[in-house]
Amino acid sequence: MPQIDLDSELLDYIIRENFQAGQRLPTINELQDEEHLGVGVSKVREQLEVARALGLVEVRSKTGMRMKAYSFTPAVRLSLFFALAQDQHNFELFNLVRQQIEIGFWNEACATLTTEDVALMRRCVADANAKLNGQPIRIPNDEHRTFHLTVFRRLGNPFVMGVLEAYWDAYEAVELNRYADYSYLQQVWDYHARILHAIEEGKHDIAKILFVEHLDLIHYQPRMQDLNRTVNGSSS
């Protein structure tokens, strides 16, 4: 198997020593000696910060440095948020990527759903309707995110989940969860209920058709329309 150069003595060392999630890493002082990395403490700290930003290690005052289970999400989120800080129109471009991933993996994901997953999605629909029909009306943000991520969470593909989790973090960051009119939310959750019903009946192709239709609703979301007007220069 070819050795991949990670351009980091620390990451190369972690791979070489085969550290697993939960294992404690040597201290910074230990890492700088010749038995480990053989580099200066400032470089160790610099590379450690990169590893932390990528979500590969965690540092706590009492337990020291430990490996974390691999997740693609931190790396995608950091890069995506930088792109959004430059230009929030990038959200729409990333949304196109997210949609193609969800559509492409839809049938495979539906086949992995358990009765527990379906029950969770059913609770999301019920709780969302309760919020929308309550006084005062509340926007079902958590339910929206959970409903979508539940469909794909058992694929065992960290790269799919990394993109999707980063998408929902970005959805919140650009405030799409704050600016939504009532009719839009009603349509969204009507689709969710119909999608779930088709999944429960094992009609994954019909659920996919409904899912694709419902993805187009985001273009009628007031905040998304506002972002597009800003990009097109029709508002200041």
Side-chain angles (χ1 to χ4, degrees):
M1 181 176 180
Q3 183 176 350
I4 297 175
D5 183 7
L6 299 175
D7 196 27
S8 165
E9 288 86 353
L10 175 60
L11 296 183
D12 285 337
Y13 169 75
I14 288 172
I15 294 298
R16 186 170 63 250
E17 297 299 321
N18 196 29
F19 281 95
Q20 301 298 310
Q23 280 188 279
R24 180 179 292 181
L25 295 173
T27 66
I28 291 177
N29 288 335
E30 290 171 336
L31 284 170
Q32 68 174 326
D33 66 34
E34 290 297 334
E35 293 184 19
H36 297 94
L37 306 185
V39 298
V41 66
S42 61
K43 193 168 187 179
V44 174
R45 292 184 184 278
E46 176 185 323
Q47 294 183 5
L48 178 60
E49 284 305 310
V50 173
R52 289 180 65 182
L54 293 175
L56 303 176
V57 303
E58 63 179 358
V59 181
R60 296 184 179 179
S61 58
K62 293 184 179 180
T63 59
M65 299 183 294
R66 291 184 182 274
M67 287 296 299
K68 297 179 68 175
Y70 179 75
S71 171
F72 190 46
T73 307
V76 181
R77 182 194 295 119
L78 181 60
S79 182
L80 174 58
F81 275 36
F82 182 83
L84 294 177
Q86 288 186 317
D87 183 352
Q88 291 196 8
H89 176 57
N90 284 321
F91 177 83
E92 184 169 7
L93 301 180
F94 191 78
N95 177 52
L96 294 174
V97 174
R98 161 254 176 173
Q99 289 186 355
Q100 290 305 310
I101 289 174
E102 289 187 325
I103 292 169
F105 281 93
W106 179 262
N107 287 81
E108 182 181 348
C110 285
T112 69
L113 290 172
T114 66
T115 54
E116 176 188 354
D117 298 327
V118 172
L120 176 57
M121 293 168 70
R122 194 181 302 118
R123 286 198 300 274
C124 286
V125 173
D127 291 347
N129 286 326
K131 286 185 175 181
L132 291 174
N133 295 319
Q135 293 296 331
I137 294 171
R138 292 173 293 160
I139 300 177
N141 298 320
D142 292 340
E143 291 80 4
H144 198 179
R145 177 186 181 120
T146 300
F147 185 92
H148 278 258
L149 292 183
T150 299
V151 177
F152 301 92
R153 69 178 182 173
R154 295 194 189 274
L155 280 172
N157 189 323
F159 306 106
V160 169
M161 291 306 296
V163 170
L164 299 186
E165 288 174 347
Y167 167 82
W168 286 104
D169 290 340
Y171 188 96
E172 181 177 353
V174 298
E175 299 186 322
L176 282 169
N177 60 338
R178 291 183 58 189
Y179 302 97
D181 60 38
Y182 189 67
S183 61
Y184 166 79
L185 292 171
Q186 284 183 312
Q187 290 182 72
V188 167
W189 284 99
D190 176 66
Y191 264 108
H192 286 168
R194 291 160 62 195
I195 290 166
L196 178 59
H197 181 68
I199 290 174
E200 289 177 310
E201 293 192 335
K203 299 176 180 178
H204 297 166
D205 288 334
I206 293 177
K208 183 177 182 179
I209 292 171
L210 293 169
F211 184 76
V212 172
E213 288 178 1
H214 117 284
L215 289 176
D216 190 53
L217 291 177
I218 194 171
H219 299 294
Y220 302 97
Q221 210 269 13
R223 174 59 175 157
M224 183 65 95
Q225 291 181 334
D226 181 58
L227 288 175
N228 290 336
R229 283 195 297 269
T230 300
V231 169
N232 293 330
S234 58
S235 67
S236 57

